[in-house]
Amino acid sequence: MKKKQFTRKQHYISQGLLKLFSDDGNHIYECLVSSKKVYQTDVADAMEENCTYEHPLLEENTLEDAFATIEGSFIPQVVAIANEVVSSEKFTTDTYAKICQLLEIFLLFYYRSGAVLSEFCYGVDDPAAKKRLRVRRLLEIITTRSYLKQLANSIRNGYECSLLHAGTSHFIISDQYLSTVALSFKNQFVNTSNRAIGMKDTMVLIPLSDKLYIAFFNGRIPDYIKHNQISHLNESQVFQINKIIFHNAFKKCAGPNSTLLNLLKEEKYFSHEATQVFFGNDDGCTGGYTNKKEVFFYPEDEEICTFHIQYALKYRDLKKQYGKAHMRNIKCPCGSGKKFKICCLAKYERAQQAVEETQNPKLQNYRISDCIAEMPIYEFWNND
Ligand SMILES: [Zn+2]
């Protein structure tokens, strides 16, 4: 039997998809997020690493071949949906059904993406160990079919949907493939982030092309995103969405022109990076998780996330000092000179509520009911 050719360059974002973010099908611009370097490259050399999906216990090229087979039918379906929407300018129930049918594959592409692979081995130093660990975690997830299926159901049943059209501007793509963003500050969690799929007040952005993204959302969205419709975005709205996509990247973003990436890299981004959490329960059980970095749509939620402990403590102090009713009319502690109730009170209350919820599990209500949320796979097995 003829030995199959070994693919050294293994793309963690499929080339078929990258072509849809290139202006000529061949060239694409990449931005290295940490060094802020923007350069032109070929689609064949973008978003790839040597032997990304190899593992000592797997036969060579096993995963790479499997992904190539899936891409063979997946990419034409993505192209067909995008073409249909752009030419008809309609978001029909038929298009929605086609999108829903692809949800498990969208999630599969998310879990095989560079950003998620990096998260799987976050904090591990030895390069070989890092690689083995991330392929093992990937395999655990994609072979637990009920997990992907239930997560796809969470999106289908818990979220509304809109198609975002970039007009004359362009969307970019991150090395995380799809992007997620929190639409409110919920809490600081030990095992997940505010933007996990399946949680309330979250938006999931799925790329179709540099002109079209699918947005699945639950909660407070900006008014330019319209449920069940094509939302035509102006340049600054596209920039707002691109900022989220850029911030979702672990190492790289890519797009059809350099101007856009050069503007995006200069934006200020919230600095909460991925974190490792270790905990010990009263019963002696211990655990550890890697949480995604937090990404918020609204700047005020970023602020609450950063300062919620300080805000909650201050709220308690002021309440003690002035009483709940009188406290509303004092001068705001931020120094603006305005009354507390028309300035920062709402965010102090939210912070106080989050701290209270942390101390009382009965108050916690972050997941969309009857839906699962993204979680470490071993936790899913334990709850299943
Ligand atoms: Zn204030």
Side-chain angles (χ1 to χ4, degrees):
M1 215 173 82
K2 200 177 150 220
K3 199 175 180 296
K4 266 196 179 167
Q5 221 186 336
F6 178 64
T7 319
R8 185 163 297 279
K9 273 186 195 175
Q10 301 186 348
H11 286 75
Y12 48 78
I13 297 290
S14 98
Q15 289 189 74
L17 201 75
L18 290 172
K19 282 182 186 161
L20 306 174
F21 285 82
S22 135
D23 59 352
D24 60 359
N26 269 325
H27 299 103
I28 195 162
Y29 288 88
E30 277 190 331
C31 177
L32 292 177
V33 172
S34 60
S35 64
K36 297 188 170 188
K37 229 175 103 189
V38 176
Y39 51 89
Q40 193 188 39
T41 183
D42 292 338
V43 163
D45 297 323
M47 302 275 189
E48 57 88 17
E49 235 180 61
N50 278 348
C51 311
T52 312
Y53 301 116
E54 298 304 314
H55 188 281
L57 294 176
L58 284 176
E59 217 176 292
E60 273 188 354
N61 245 38
T62 304
L63 274 172
E64 176 68 13
D65 282 342
F67 291 141
T69 308
I70 296 167
E71 276 164 42
S73 71
F74 172 70
I75 301 295
Q77 292 181 72
V78 167
V79 172
I81 292 173
N83 286 345
E84 198 175 283
V85 170
V86 172
S87 63
S88 72
E89 291 195 30
K90 284 194 180 82
F91 184 13
T92 61
T93 47
D94 181 52
T95 305
Y96 178 72
K98 283 179 187 161
I99 289 171
C100 285
Q101 257 177 6
L102 289 178
L103 274 175
E104 275 174 65
I105 311 285
F106 290 138
L107 288 170
L108 176 72
F109 272 51
Y110 168 56
Y111 282 111
R112 64 169 280 202
S113 73
V116 177
L117 289 176
S118 301
E119 266 163 25
F120 282 155
C121 58
Y122 191 72
V124 178
D125 290 327
D126 174 52
K130 217 170 172 144
K131 212 149 185 197
R132 283 196 303 274
L133 179 63
R134 64 188 209 175
V135 176
R136 202 190 78 207
R137 292 250 158 98
L138 170 66
L139 277 168
E140 284 168 357
I141 284 183
I142 62 181
T143 55
T144 308
R145 183 109 199 284
S146 64
Y147 175 69
L148 289 185
K149 208 181 162 93
Q150 286 187 49
L151 201 56
N153 278 339
S154 294
I155 300 178
R156 206 174 287 134
N157 301 331
Y159 289 74
E160 295 184 291
C161 185
S162 177
L163 292 171
L164 310 185
H165 193 278
T168 54
S169 191
H170 302 274
F171 289 120
I172 60 162
I173 184 165
S174 85
D175 60 6
Q176 194 185 256
Y177 173 59
L178 59 78
S179 297
T180 61
V181 63
L183 299 168
S184 79
F185 169 68
K186 291 174 271 289
N187 214 319
Q188 206 115 69
F189 305 101
V190 84
N191 60 349
T192 186
S193 79
N194 280 271
R195 63 184 174 110
I197 299 170
M199 294 236 270
K200 290 177 180 171
D201 298 310
T202 298
M203 180 155 68
V204 184
L205 297 162
I206 304 174
L208 290 177
S209 74
D210 68 329
K211 290 291 172 193
L212 216 56
Y213 257 79
I214 309 164
F216 279 101
F217 51 87
N218 173 288
R220 185 172 57 124
I221 43 157
D223 57 8
Y224 60 79
I225 297 182
K226 300 192 178 353
H227 174 49
N228 265 343
Q229 289 181 33
I230 304 176
S231 305
H232 294 278
L233 273 51
N234 66 31
E235 212 171 306
S236 73
Q237 293 160 347
V238 172
F239 195 76
Q240 206 168 13
I241 298 295
N242 275 336
K243 264 181 79 171
I244 292 164
I245 298 167
F246 192 95
H247 201 18
N248 267 255
F250 211 91
K251 287 184 189 145
K252 279 180 185 179
C253 279
N257 72 55
S258 57
T259 322
L260 192 59
L261 290 168
N262 278 316
L263 284 171
L264 284 162
K265 73 176 195 199
E266 295 309 330
E267 283 290 308
K268 244 186 107 154
Y269 295 95
F270 189 41
S271 59
H272 277 214
E273 289 306 313
T275 47
Q276 280 189 297
V277 187
F278 296 97
F279 68 92
N281 279 339
D282 293 345
D283 62 6
C285 287
T286 56
Y289 300 102
T290 300
N291 286 350
K292 282 181 188 316
K293 62 180 164 188
E294 297 284 7
V295 182
F296 290 96
F297 193 88
Y298 301 102
E300 63 265 32
D301 293 323
E302 290 182 4
E303 200 201 319
I304 298 177
C305 185
T306 314
F307 298 112
H308 73 285
I309 303 285
Q310 287 97 312
Y311 287 167
L313 290 173
K314 185 83 186 163
Y315 179 91
R316 286 175 192 190
D317 282 352
L318 292 171
K319 197 172 144 191
K320 221 181 200 170
Q321 198 178 342
Y322 296 101
K324 201 175 173 181
H326 187 215
M327 172 173 82
R328 298 172 52 77
N329 292 310
I330 62 165
K331 283 215 165 121
C332 190
C334 80
S336 66
K338 292 183 198 155
K339 279 189 178 172
F340 196 20
K341 67 180 174 191
I342 58 163
C343 196
C344 299
L345 179 62
K347 87 186 168 195
Y348 278 67
E349 281 174 342
R350 179 67 202 99
Q352 161 64 16
Q353 195 189 333
V355 172
E356 240 171 75
E357 285 164 358
T358 309
Q359 291 159 351
N360 185 354
K362 277 189 195 142
L363 296 173
Q364 294 168 12
N365 188 19
Y366 310 116
R367 281 185 195 174
I368 297 169
S369 53
D370 302 324
C371 289
I372 65 154
E374 237 178 311
M375 62 179 105
I377 197 71
Y378 40 90
E379 199 182 332
F380 176 76
W381 290 337
N382 291 339
N383 292 331
D384 202 18

